[in-house]
Amino acid sequence: MLRSIHVDEITKAVERLCMEANYDLGEDVLSKFKENLEKEESPLGCEVYERLIENAKIAHEERVPMCQDTGMTVIFVEVGQDLHIQGGSLEEAINKGVALGYTNGYLRKSMVRDPFERENTGDNTPAIIHYEVVPGDTLKITVAPKGAGSENMGALKMCKPSEGLEGVIQFVVDTVDQAGGNPCPPIIVGVGVGGSMEKATYLAKKSLLRQAGEPHKEERLADIEREILRRVNNLGIGPQGFGGTTTALAVHLEVYPTHIASLPVAVNIQCHAARHKEIVLKGTLTGEGE
Amino acid sequence: MGESIRIELPLTQEKVASLKAGDSVLLNGVLYTGRDAAHKKMVEALERGEELPFDVRDQVIYFVGPAPPKPGQVIGSAGPTTSGRMDAYSPKLIERGLTGMIGKGLRSHEVIDSMKKHGAVYFGAIGGTGALLAKRIVSAEVVAYPELGPEAIRKLEVKDFPVMVVIDKDGNNLYETGKAQYRKE
């Protein structure tokens, strides 16, 4: 028996996820707001948290985007290697879902077709799609709209191995320090270390899909996350850059094996509108195969 | 946060002089939207010796590209965008009499010098609270560059629109003083 999914089902799922991601801030992020509201020492910072909580409530109840920058549509797709996708191209189906979601959901269209000509594509396509082939016969789609205010503050450094852990941490902290209020703190700091240039940036972005503040499963790496968070919060930037003791809600670190001569570090900063919604499509059993 | 100061627009020099970094302000009246593409067009118009699409004297520009309105809405979500991208253009408008800007994030020394020289205020709105801020906008009308879509210049009427004075006309900067106050190590 073989499982198969029709592309129309994928389009519908993506359309819905685009809207939900932009209207409904995750409970994980909301509970971080509430937790930090208690911790924050700056009265202005506390005021910011109160407004963020109120804003999320309005967006959810009125079905409007929490932020006008409804982002580049970044999509992570995990395709089960035993799954059959029928009825057309997977990539076209995803982009059609994005176009429908952004049009029918009254989301802002922010994509320009060419980085030099800069003409708006009119429907927020194309999405930025990352595919991974995994064991199994299901299709997992995660839609993670990413605003430019925070995306523009990211950075990559090809450290020397001799710079070690301290060099890595210092680069992350300096990147957040220089960004100041630009990326809409309180932020989540995504950090990718190791691999090649593009692998490090991919890991940094992908780490943002974790539940906000969920520590790395490996204790050694979770300790590094906590140390970076402590140092970032000591910067004093605070919510919105108005000054305060909570600049980041969390630090998420992912690592990968790397070359004997390399130590790449990528920082992908996520604004407080940390949006991602996912679905696992199971498809239907068909008689063919085996 | 203390009591908010209600300000009726336009933002005259007298009102500019009364505002200090850290003040919480509620703006009332008319302001204009503009972000990267509109600023580029305005400055290019000035370089060609043409008039601006609206007289910037005593006016406030809000750096925003709103989401499209749903049926029944005046405007879609409308929070501030990163102001630094307007740094290359803002001094040219401040020279022409612009007295206020609303955005989020850091400004360049050139912008701050121009604000001090000509008398202007930089307000911060809370980035990412677009749904909340849209409710304080009572009317919106595209007045220039409609071809720019979300980046077109809109004339907005706002009621009790909440902002913070981040940089005042004397160059006091909440981003610097706030950070210094809470910085450790």
Side-chain angles (χ1 to χ4, degrees), chain A residues 23 62-65 68 102-109, chain B residues 65-78 130 134 137 139-142 149-150 154 156:
Chain A
Y23 301 161
E62 301 188 8
R63 313 311 290 158
V64 295
Q68 75 290 335
Y102 276 69
T103 306
N104 296 336
Y106 298 93
L107 305 178
R108 198 181 77 185
K109 290 80 180 171
Chain B
K70 280 171 77 167
Q73 268 188 319
V74 166
I75 195 166
S77 295
I137 298 169
S139 74
E141 177 197 354
V142 172
R154 288 169 172 78
L156 304 183

Short mmCIF file of all heavy atoms in Angstrom, two decimals, chain A residues 23 62-65 68 102-109, chain B residues 65-78 130 134 137 139-142 149-150 154 156:
data_model
loop_
_atom_site.label_atom_id
_atom_site.label_comp_id
_atom_site.label_asym_id
_atom_site.label_seq_id
_atom_site.Cartn_x
_atom_site.Cartn_y
_atom_site.Cartn_z
N TYR A 23 -2.39 35.61 12.57
CA TYR A 23 -3.45 36.08 13.48
C TYR A 23 -3.23 35.60 14.92
O TYR A 23 -3.65 36.28 15.86
CB TYR A 23 -4.83 35.54 13.05
CG TYR A 23 -5.32 35.90 11.67
CD1 TYR A 23 -6.35 35.16 11.08
CD2 TYR A 23 -4.81 36.97 10.96
CE1 TYR A 23 -6.83 35.47 9.81
CE2 TYR A 23 -5.28 37.29 9.69
CZ TYR A 23 -6.29 36.52 9.12
OH TYR A 23 -6.78 36.82 7.87
N GLU A 62 -10.05 39.47 16.36
CA GLU A 62 -10.59 40.14 15.18
C GLU A 62 -10.09 39.53 13.88
O GLU A 62 -10.43 40.00 12.80
CB GLU A 62 -10.28 41.64 15.25
CG GLU A 62 -10.89 42.26 16.50
CD GLU A 62 -10.77 43.79 16.55
OE1 GLU A 62 -10.36 44.39 15.55
OE2 GLU A 62 -11.10 44.34 17.60
N ARG A 63 -9.25 38.49 13.97
CA ARG A 63 -8.69 37.81 12.80
C ARG A 63 -7.99 38.81 11.89
O ARG A 63 -8.29 38.94 10.69
CB ARG A 63 -9.76 37.02 12.01
CG ARG A 63 -10.68 36.15 12.84
CD ARG A 63 -10.01 35.26 13.82
NE ARG A 63 -9.24 34.13 13.24
CZ ARG A 63 -8.26 33.52 13.90
NH1 ARG A 63 -7.89 33.92 15.11
NH2 ARG A 63 -7.62 32.52 13.35
N VAL A 64 -7.07 39.57 12.47
CA VAL A 64 -6.23 40.51 11.72
C VAL A 64 -4.77 40.19 12.08
O VAL A 64 -4.49 39.64 13.15
CB VAL A 64 -6.55 41.99 12.04
CG1 VAL A 64 -7.95 42.35 11.58
CG2 VAL A 64 -6.38 42.30 13.52
N PRO A 65 -3.84 40.54 11.18
CA PRO A 65 -2.45 40.24 11.50
C PRO A 65 -1.95 41.02 12.71
O PRO A 65 -2.24 42.20 12.85
CB PRO A 65 -1.68 40.64 10.23
CG PRO A 65 -2.61 41.50 9.44
CD PRO A 65 -4.00 41.12 9.84
N GLN A 68 1.83 44.41 10.86
CA GLN A 68 1.60 44.69 9.43
C GLN A 68 2.65 44.02 8.55
O GLN A 68 2.40 43.72 7.39
CB GLN A 68 1.55 46.19 9.16
CG GLN A 68 2.88 46.92 9.19
CD GLN A 68 3.46 46.99 10.59
OE1 GLN A 68 2.73 46.94 11.57
NE2 GLN A 68 4.77 47.09 10.67
N TYR A 102 -2.42 35.00 1.60
CA TYR A 102 -2.10 36.43 1.76
C TYR A 102 -3.17 37.32 1.13
O TYR A 102 -3.39 38.44 1.58
CB TYR A 102 -0.70 36.73 1.21
CG TYR A 102 0.36 36.43 2.24
CD1 TYR A 102 0.62 35.11 2.62
CD2 TYR A 102 1.05 37.44 2.90
CE1 TYR A 102 1.56 34.82 3.61
CE2 TYR A 102 1.99 37.15 3.88
CZ TYR A 102 2.24 35.85 4.23
OH TYR A 102 3.15 35.57 5.22
N THR A 103 -3.84 36.81 0.09
CA THR A 103 -4.89 37.60 -0.55
C THR A 103 -6.18 37.50 0.26
O THR A 103 -6.74 38.52 0.69
CB THR A 103 -5.11 37.12 -1.99
OG1 THR A 103 -3.85 37.15 -2.67
CG2 THR A 103 -6.11 38.00 -2.73
N ASN A 104 -6.63 36.28 0.53
CA ASN A 104 -7.91 36.10 1.24
C ASN A 104 -7.81 36.48 2.71
O ASN A 104 -8.82 36.77 3.35
CB ASN A 104 -8.39 34.65 1.11
CG ASN A 104 -8.69 34.29 -0.34
OD1 ASN A 104 -8.98 35.17 -1.16
ND2 ASN A 104 -8.60 33.01 -0.66
N GLY A 105 -6.61 36.47 3.25
CA GLY A 105 -6.43 36.79 4.67
C GLY A 105 -6.10 38.25 4.93
O GLY A 105 -5.82 38.63 6.05
N TYR A 106 -6.11 39.08 3.87
CA TYR A 106 -5.78 40.51 4.01
C TYR A 106 -4.43 40.71 4.68
O TYR A 106 -4.26 41.51 5.59
CB TYR A 106 -6.89 41.27 4.75
CG TYR A 106 -8.20 41.21 4.02
CD1 TYR A 106 -9.14 40.23 4.31
CD2 TYR A 106 -8.49 42.11 3.00
CE1 TYR A 106 -10.34 40.15 3.61
CE2 TYR A 106 -9.67 42.04 2.29
CZ TYR A 106 -10.60 41.05 2.60
OH TYR A 106 -11.76 40.99 1.89
N LEU A 107 -3.45 39.93 4.23
CA LEU A 107 -2.09 40.05 4.75
C LEU A 107 -1.29 40.91 3.77
O LEU A 107 -1.57 40.93 2.58
CB LEU A 107 -1.47 38.66 4.89
CG LEU A 107 -2.29 37.67 5.72
CD1 LEU A 107 -1.63 36.30 5.75
CD2 LEU A 107 -2.51 38.18 7.14
N ARG A 108 -0.27 41.60 4.30
CA ARG A 108 0.49 42.49 3.42
C ARG A 108 1.39 41.69 2.48
O ARG A 108 2.00 40.71 2.90
CB ARG A 108 1.35 43.46 4.25
CG ARG A 108 1.81 44.66 3.43
CD ARG A 108 2.68 45.59 4.25
NE ARG A 108 4.02 45.06 4.40
CZ ARG A 108 4.96 45.62 5.16
NH1 ARG A 108 4.68 46.71 5.84
NH2 ARG A 108 6.16 45.09 5.23
N LYS A 109 1.45 42.15 1.25
CA LYS A 109 2.31 41.49 0.27
C LYS A 109 3.63 42.24 0.24
O LYS A 109 3.68 43.41 -0.17
CB LYS A 109 1.66 41.50 -1.12
CG LYS A 109 0.44 40.58 -1.24
CD LYS A 109 -0.78 41.25 -0.66
CE LYS A 109 -2.02 40.37 -0.77
NZ LYS A 109 -3.13 40.97 0.00
N GLY B 65 4.04 50.71 6.50
CA GLY B 65 3.43 50.14 5.29
C GLY B 65 2.32 49.22 5.77
O GLY B 65 2.56 48.07 6.11
N PRO B 66 1.10 49.74 5.85
CA PRO B 66 0.02 48.98 6.49
C PRO B 66 -0.38 47.72 5.72
O PRO B 66 -0.17 47.62 4.51
CB PRO B 66 -1.14 49.96 6.53
CG PRO B 66 -0.85 50.98 5.49
CD PRO B 66 0.64 51.05 5.37
N ALA B 67 -0.99 46.79 6.44
CA ALA B 67 -1.61 45.63 5.80
C ALA B 67 -2.91 46.11 5.15
O ALA B 67 -3.46 47.15 5.54
CB ALA B 67 -1.89 44.56 6.85
N PRO B 68 -3.41 45.39 4.13
CA PRO B 68 -4.66 45.84 3.50
C PRO B 68 -5.83 45.74 4.47
O PRO B 68 -5.87 44.84 5.31
CB PRO B 68 -4.83 44.86 2.33
CG PRO B 68 -3.91 43.73 2.57
CD PRO B 68 -2.85 44.18 3.51
N PRO B 69 -6.78 46.69 4.39
CA PRO B 69 -7.93 46.65 5.31
C PRO B 69 -8.87 45.50 4.96
O PRO B 69 -9.09 45.19 3.80
CB PRO B 69 -8.62 48.00 5.08
CG PRO B 69 -8.19 48.45 3.73
CD PRO B 69 -6.84 47.85 3.47
N LYS B 70 -9.43 44.86 5.98
CA LYS B 70 -10.51 43.92 5.77
C LYS B 70 -11.77 44.73 5.51
O LYS B 70 -11.82 45.91 5.89
CB LYS B 70 -10.72 43.08 7.05
CG LYS B 70 -9.72 41.96 7.20
CD LYS B 70 -9.83 41.32 8.57
CE LYS B 70 -11.03 40.39 8.69
NZ LYS B 70 -10.94 39.55 9.92
N PRO B 71 -12.81 44.14 4.91
CA PRO B 71 -14.05 44.91 4.72
C PRO B 71 -14.51 45.48 6.07
O PRO B 71 -14.51 44.77 7.07
CB PRO B 71 -15.03 43.85 4.21
CG PRO B 71 -14.17 42.80 3.58
CD PRO B 71 -12.89 42.78 4.37
N GLY B 72 -14.81 46.78 6.09
CA GLY B 72 -15.26 47.42 7.33
C GLY B 72 -14.13 48.08 8.12
O GLY B 72 -14.39 48.84 9.03
N GLN B 73 -12.89 47.77 7.77
CA GLN B 73 -11.76 48.40 8.47
C GLN B 73 -11.33 49.67 7.73
O GLN B 73 -11.41 49.72 6.50
CB GLN B 73 -10.55 47.46 8.47
CG GLN B 73 -10.42 46.53 9.65
CD GLN B 73 -9.07 45.81 9.61
OE1 GLN B 73 -8.61 45.38 8.56
NE2 GLN B 73 -8.45 45.68 10.77
N VAL B 74 -10.84 50.66 8.48
CA VAL B 74 -10.29 51.88 7.89
C VAL B 74 -8.93 51.58 7.27
O VAL B 74 -8.58 52.05 6.19
CB VAL B 74 -10.15 52.97 8.98
CG1 VAL B 74 -9.28 54.12 8.49
CG2 VAL B 74 -11.51 53.46 9.41
N ILE B 75 -8.15 50.76 7.96
CA ILE B 75 -6.79 50.43 7.55
C ILE B 75 -6.46 49.08 8.19
O ILE B 75 -7.02 48.73 9.23
CB ILE B 75 -5.82 51.55 8.03
CG1 ILE B 75 -4.45 51.45 7.33
CG2 ILE B 75 -5.65 51.55 9.55
CD1 ILE B 75 -3.58 52.70 7.51
N GLY B 76 -5.58 48.34 7.55
CA GLY B 76 -5.13 47.08 8.15
C GLY B 76 -4.13 47.36 9.25
O GLY B 76 -3.84 48.53 9.57
N SER B 77 -3.55 46.31 9.80
CA SER B 77 -2.56 46.47 10.87
C SER B 77 -1.49 47.47 10.43
O SER B 77 -1.06 47.46 9.28
CB SER B 77 -1.94 45.11 11.21
OG SER B 77 -2.94 44.27 11.74
N ALA B 78 -1.10 48.34 11.35
CA ALA B 78 -0.27 49.49 10.95
C ALA B 78 0.71 49.89 12.04
O ALA B 78 0.59 50.94 12.65
CB ALA B 78 -1.17 50.67 10.57
N GLY B 130 0.76 46.24 15.48
CA GLY B 130 0.00 46.78 14.35
C GLY B 130 -1.49 46.68 14.49
O GLY B 130 -2.23 47.57 14.05
N ALA B 134 -3.71 50.18 14.69
CA ALA B 134 -4.69 50.44 13.63
C ALA B 134 -6.01 50.94 14.19
O ALA B 134 -6.74 51.70 13.54
CB ALA B 134 -4.92 49.17 12.80
N ILE B 137 -6.45 54.74 14.35
CA ILE B 137 -6.48 55.48 13.09
C ILE B 137 -7.93 55.57 12.64
O ILE B 137 -8.58 54.54 12.42
CB ILE B 137 -5.60 54.78 12.03
CG1 ILE B 137 -4.14 54.73 12.52
CG2 ILE B 137 -5.71 55.48 10.67
CD1 ILE B 137 -3.22 53.85 11.70
N SER B 139 -9.18 57.62 9.98
CA SER B 139 -9.39 57.66 8.54
C SER B 139 -8.05 57.54 7.84
O SER B 139 -7.00 57.86 8.40
CB SER B 139 -10.10 58.95 8.12
OG SER B 139 -9.21 60.05 8.19
N ALA B 140 -8.10 57.02 6.61
CA ALA B 140 -6.88 56.82 5.82
C ALA B 140 -7.22 57.05 4.36
O ALA B 140 -8.24 56.57 3.87
CB ALA B 140 -6.35 55.41 6.01
N GLU B 141 -6.34 57.81 3.70
CA GLU B 141 -6.60 58.14 2.30
C GLU B 141 -5.25 58.22 1.58
O GLU B 141 -4.32 58.85 2.08
CB GLU B 141 -7.29 59.51 2.26
CG GLU B 141 -7.57 60.06 0.90
CD GLU B 141 -7.87 61.59 0.95
OE1 GLU B 141 -7.95 62.17 2.07
OE2 GLU B 141 -7.98 62.17 -0.12
N VAL B 142 -5.14 57.52 0.45
CA VAL B 142 -3.89 57.58 -0.32
C VAL B 142 -3.82 58.95 -1.00
O VAL B 142 -4.76 59.35 -1.70
CB VAL B 142 -3.83 56.45 -1.37
CG1 VAL B 142 -2.62 56.62 -2.29
CG2 VAL B 142 -3.76 55.09 -0.69
N GLY B 149 1.55 50.78 -3.69
CA GLY B 149 0.79 49.82 -2.87
C GLY B 149 0.91 50.14 -1.39
O GLY B 149 0.59 51.26 -0.97
N PRO B 150 1.40 49.18 -0.58
CA PRO B 150 1.50 49.46 0.86
C PRO B 150 2.45 50.62 1.17
O PRO B 150 2.39 51.20 2.24
CB PRO B 150 2.03 48.15 1.45
CG PRO B 150 2.56 47.36 0.31
CD PRO B 150 1.83 47.82 -0.92
N ARG B 154 -0.01 57.93 2.57
CA ARG B 154 -1.39 58.04 3.05
C ARG B 154 -1.49 59.20 4.03
O ARG B 154 -0.57 59.45 4.80
CB ARG B 154 -1.83 56.75 3.76
CG ARG B 154 -2.07 55.59 2.82
CD ARG B 154 -2.23 54.28 3.58
NE ARG B 154 -2.65 53.19 2.69
CZ ARG B 154 -1.81 52.54 1.88
NH1 ARG B 154 -0.55 52.84 1.85
NH2 ARG B 154 -2.27 51.57 1.10
N LEU B 156 -3.36 60.16 7.24
CA LEU B 156 -4.10 59.47 8.30
C LEU B 156 -4.63 60.48 9.30
O LEU B 156 -3.95 61.46 9.62
CB LEU B 156 -3.18 58.51 9.07
CG LEU B 156 -2.41 57.43 8.33
CD1 LEU B 156 -1.64 56.58 9.35
CD2 LEU B 156 -3.34 56.55 7.51
#
